[in-house]
Amino acid sequence: MKQPLGVILAGGLATRMGGGDKALLPLGGQSLLARVIARLEPQVAGLALNANGDASRFAGFGLPVVADSVEGFAGPLAGVLAGLDWAAELGADAIVTVAADTPFFPCDLVPRLLMASEGMAAPLALAATPRGDADTRSMTAGLIRHPTFGLWPVALRDDLRAALQDGLRKVVIWTDRHDGRLAEFPDAGDPFFNVNTPDDLAQAEAML
């Protein structure tokens, strides 16, 4: 498979931060988005940003901005679909998505997702980390799945479009339908720590 394209998901409403664009918040002298771009760009063949509303607010980053085609803020899967449609126009086979509010994700995210999907006709994989005792998030086989960090095949974009039109919103339900695999990241710490609240932003500053 050709090297996938990258799509940064920034289409959420950021309600716990009081609205606005979390991706543009400063962290250690750079925006969250700038940090995410720097981490993902070396791993992919090209990069786009999934965001809704006026795209000009991201003009300084020099990335194509692709908006959700599904109305009503349908969640991460709508961003994945927007990315797949963009990738299809460029003749790509797959995309890798990351969240715009997660500045410490692994620098080997893409190769590990690709390894996990080896042999699949339609390569589909999500990142996962070991579950701590206190974790109750999206769990399977002792792992926490990170639904915004995945490898997605362009070949399944029409299937995803139909699922979204039918009202599906939960990522793992759709990936499980297609026997999506998991790429495990057993690294120390929390590489998928994301900034949802002002306290999270302060914690991210400390993590730097």
Side-chain angles (χ1 to χ4, degrees), residues 30-175:
Q30 290 180 280
S31 67
L32 286 173
L33 180 55
R35 291 185 175 277
V36 169
I37 289 170
R39 202 160 272 242
L40 182 59
E41 202 163 37
Q43 302 187 51
V44 293
L47 202 53
L49 177 66
N50 163 241
N52 299 301
D54 184 2
S56 66
R57 66 195 194 277
F58 299 109
F61 296 95
L63 297 180
V65 178
V66 295
D68 295 351
S69 60
V70 179
E71 294 183 359
F73 292 100
L77 281 176
V80 172
L81 177 60
L84 290 173
D85 286 341
W86 166 73
E89 292 177 4
L90 298 177
D93 296 327
I95 62 170
V96 167
T97 57
V98 303
D101 61 359
T102 309
F104 308 119
F105 66 85
C107 292
D108 60 350
L109 173 73
V110 174
R112 288 212 227 175
L113 287 169
L114 290 171
M115 285 178 59
S117 71
E118 281 184 356
M120 296 183 75
L124 179 62
L126 295 179
T129 49
R131 177 175 66 87
D133 289 340
D135 285 314
T136 57
R137 290 170 287 177
S138 181
M139 295 180 291
T140 180
L143 296 172
I144 303 165
R145 294 180 283 190
H146 299 280
T148 52
F149 290 83
L151 171 69
W152 312 87
V154 169
L156 290 180
R157 69 189 177 111
D158 288 333
D159 182 285
L160 177 55
R161 194 184 329 275
L164 281 164
Q165 289 169 349
D166 285 343
L168 181 72
R169 297 293 181 262
K170 193 168 177 59
V171 173
V172 295
I173 291 177
W174 189 76
T175 58

